[in-house]
Amino acid sequence: MLGHWRIIAASGALLIAAYVSTLLMAGDEGSGNLPPLAISCDLVAAYGGIFEVPSGVEINVTDQNRGELLERVRGCVESLLVEEASGRYRQTVDTLNGPVVSGADRVERSFVKIELAAALANTDAAKQQRNVARRLVSGWHEAKDIIERQGAGPALKESDWPAVGEAKHRDDVPAYQKACRDAGVPVPGSFVTDPRWTNRGDLDSETHQYFFRSDWPDAEVWTYRDNVSGGFCVALVRRKPGWPVQYVGTICADKLQKKACFFDNIVYEGSATKRISWDDFKTRDFSELVHPKDGEDRCNVCHLGNNPFIVHPKTLLGQTIKSMYAEDVPKSQTFEFVGLGNERDPWSNFGPIIPPDAGGCFKCHGLPQVTTNHKFCSSIIEMAANRTMPPGHWPPEPKGGPWFWPDANGCFAKDFAALADYFPSLVKLKSVCSGKVEKICPTQ
């Protein structure tokens, strides 16, 4: 959903690494055995597309690379299965219909395996990968038809699997919006009818600093203030020349940014959902928008930490958000997602990382103590470190070179000597993301 506030949208084809081809041959088609290679979960669904993280490169999906990409996702999701779920997964895969006899069969089987593994893993990371897989087959075949042909429907239903395109939380919208208001978080009226919306201008040349590249050059910011509660909203509108879809992400928070609600330009259409244009969205009341859990992306994958807005403090967008509240949000604060209902997996935040020396990145950011290999690490932390942070260091379009990330010994390339103040905080962040003990470079 609003995880796409800061995923880079870069055009161009992704060259699949050689290990993916090896993976294609390694997986056993009939038994569902897990691939022997260590798989990195480095694809993310956002902006209606698929992106590699932490590079932020947008993948150009074709009939030629769809199967390779699905195998890449399959290896990732299977690696997320715990032992018990892995056993159930193998047994379930054995019940699928027929042998794999063609390239199309192989692609369909990979997709179904991802759906099964994601349903059994039942984690945010697995669900994100399921979204990647669904976008990979979108426009090729109907996902529900693939599942039916492969005979996976009964097994998926047993796993409380959400059907493709199913809108499960339509009836929860009124309760969600009431919970927002009760928490002091405003739910705005439409942009056309509610005079409290204010256009704060275009981002223009700064668009590359918000994790989408220059091929999305048209972006504007709107703000909203509720005079009674003091709560506020910030809406980010993104358009791309020749692109039929616009994206409007709105985050609303209470006065102190301790609670947050999320809205997207998606409405219900029949039994499914539909993303609408900015012109259409401007006329819509927020009560017409989908429940956050029925959105295209999971906001809680990236919007974590001490406040719901993940932006560079010195940018126009960062200064605009700062102008909506009087005091800085404490770095020790953890905002809460307003209750989403009684579903089994409500969104939750993580407590802050509190290092003994709060320097480097921690001077400005209250970053969350996420679980090992959480998507926040590659989608936010690594991407920011290697593209746009610290402010003023990276050019608008970095031209390769070493990554600003510690190696296995906690050391950094000599090119970054001027940024030595940031080394300890990045080593700390890497240890949180990897779950491994920090290693401090002996020579830096």
Side-chain angles (χ1 to χ4, degrees), residues 112-370:
V112 167
K113 286 180 177 180
I114 294 165
E115 291 281 339
L116 289 168
L120 290 170
N122 195 31
T123 63
D124 279 342
K127 291 170 185 175
Q128 172 60 241
Q129 294 305 301
R130 181 187 65 204
N131 290 345
V132 172
R134 290 181 176 183
R135 289 184 188 175
L136 282 170
V137 301
S138 177
W140 178 60
H141 288 308
E142 289 289 336
K144 60 183 179 181
D145 293 340
I146 297 175
I147 291 166
E148 181 178 346
R149 280 194 293 270
Q150 295 291 326
L156 286 168
K157 288 180 180 178
E158 288 179 5
S159 303
D160 194 28
W161 163 84
V164 178
E166 179 184 24
K168 295 180 62 176
H169 301 281
R170 183 196 303 263
D171 294 338
D172 296 330
V173 170
Y176 174 65
Q177 297 196 349
K178 180 179 185 301
C180 293
R181 294 187 179 97
D182 290 347
V185 178
V187 178
S190 76
F191 285 77
V192 170
T193 62
D194 195 329
R196 288 171 289 187
W197 277 114
T198 302
N199 187 343
R200 302 292 290 269
D202 297 329
L203 297 182
D204 298 325
S205 61
E206 284 195 356
T207 56
H208 69 275
Q209 299 188 53
Y210 306 110
F211 290 169
F212 52 96
R213 291 182 178 173
S214 56
D215 61 340
W216 284 82
D218 187 1
E220 61 183 274
V221 183
W222 291 69
T223 58
Y224 179 97
R225 169 78 72 186
D226 181 79
N227 295 329
V228 177
S229 69
F232 65 95
C233 305
V234 179
L236 183 62
V237 186
R238 288 145 300 203
R239 293 177 289 259
K240 178 179 178 178
W243 200 256
V245 179
Q246 296 96 43
Y247 298 90
V248 189
T250 305
I251 300 176
C252 297
D254 69 309
K255 184 178 181 179
L256 300 177
Q257 292 190 73
K258 293 184 176 181
K259 304 275 187 176
C261 293
F262 294 78
F263 306 95
D264 216 334
N265 60 320
I266 301 175
V267 297
Y268 291 106
E269 185 175 70
S271 61
T273 63
K274 176 185 178 182
R275 186 175 291 277
I276 58 177
S277 69
W278 166 232
D279 287 337
D280 187 359
F281 178 69
K282 285 189 292 187
T283 67
R284 300 279 189 143
D285 189 270
F286 272 57
S287 63
E288 300 178 64
L289 305 181
V290 302
H291 188 278
K293 294 292 285 271
D294 280 333
E296 291 183 359
D297 299 308
R298 299 177 67 83
C299 312
N300 63 317
V301 172
C302 296
H303 289 269
L304 299 170
N306 70 322
N307 69 65
F309 304 98
I310 305 175
V311 293
H312 304 324
K314 301 301 182 181
T315 58
L316 174 60
L317 180 57
Q319 292 298 310
T320 299
I321 293 172
K322 177 65 174 68
S323 72
M324 300 302 292
Y325 55 94
E327 302 294 333
D328 286 329
V329 179
K331 289 186 283 294
S332 59
Q333 174 174 300
T334 298
F335 83 88
E336 296 180 23
F337 295 95
V338 169
L340 296 169
N342 296 320
E343 66 277 4
R344 295 187 309 173
D345 58 340
W347 291 348
S348 59
N349 202 346
F350 296 84
I353 301 172
I354 304 178
D357 179 13
C361 304
F362 299 106
K363 288 187 297 185
C364 298
H365 304 286
L367 296 166
Q369 180 84 36
V370 297

Side-chain angles (χ1 to χ4, degrees), residues 72-138:
R72 190 171 171 177
V73 175
R74 177 174 75 90
C76 165
V77 178
E78 288 176 345
S79 72
L80 300 173
L81 291 168
V82 297
E83 184 174 354
E84 179 183 355
S86 179
R88 290 178 59 197
Y89 171 71
R90 291 189 182 94
Q91 293 173 2
T92 304
V93 168
D94 284 340
T95 69
L96 297 179
N97 290 339
V100 174
V101 296
S102 69
D105 285 337
R106 182 187 294 272
V107 174
E108 290 196 359
R109 185 63 58 89
S110 294
F111 173 75
V112 167
K113 286 180 177 180
I114 294 165
E115 291 281 339
L116 289 168
L120 290 170
N122 195 31
T123 63
D124 279 342
K127 291 170 185 175
Q128 172 60 241
Q129 294 305 301
R130 181 187 65 204
N131 290 345
V132 172
R134 290 181 176 183
R135 289 184 188 175
L136 282 170
V137 301
S138 177

Side-chain angles (χ1 to χ4, degrees), residues 41 53 80 123-126 128-129 298-305 337 348-350 368-382 405 429-435:
C41 298
V53 291
L80 300 173
T123 63
D124 279 342
Q128 172 60 241
Q129 294 305 301
R298 299 177 67 83
C299 312
N300 63 317
V301 172
C302 296
H303 289 269
L304 299 170
F337 295 95
S348 59
N349 202 346
F350 296 84
Q369 180 84 36
V370 297
T371 53
T372 301
N373 294 323
H374 194 281
K375 186 60 68 176
F376 182 85
C377 292
S378 56
S379 298
I380 300 299
I381 296 177
E382 289 184 56
W405 199 243
L429 288 171
K430 183 177 181 179
S431 73
V432 169
C433 290
S434 67

Side-chain angles (χ1 to χ4, degrees), residues 9-66:
S11 61
L14 174 70
L15 298 178
I16 306 300
Y19 81 87
V20 178
S21 298
T22 304
L23 173 61
L24 280 167
M25 296 181 287
D28 177 47
E29 293 298 339
S31 67
N33 290 338
L34 304 188
L37 301 178
I39 302 301
S40 173
C41 298
D42 56 0
L43 298 178
V44 65
Y47 274 132
I50 300 167
F51 303 84
E52 185 184 41
V53 291
S55 69
V57 173
E58 183 176 5
I59 298 173
N60 179 27
V61 181
T62 67
D63 290 341
Q64 287 69 44
N65 67 8
R66 182 178 288 107

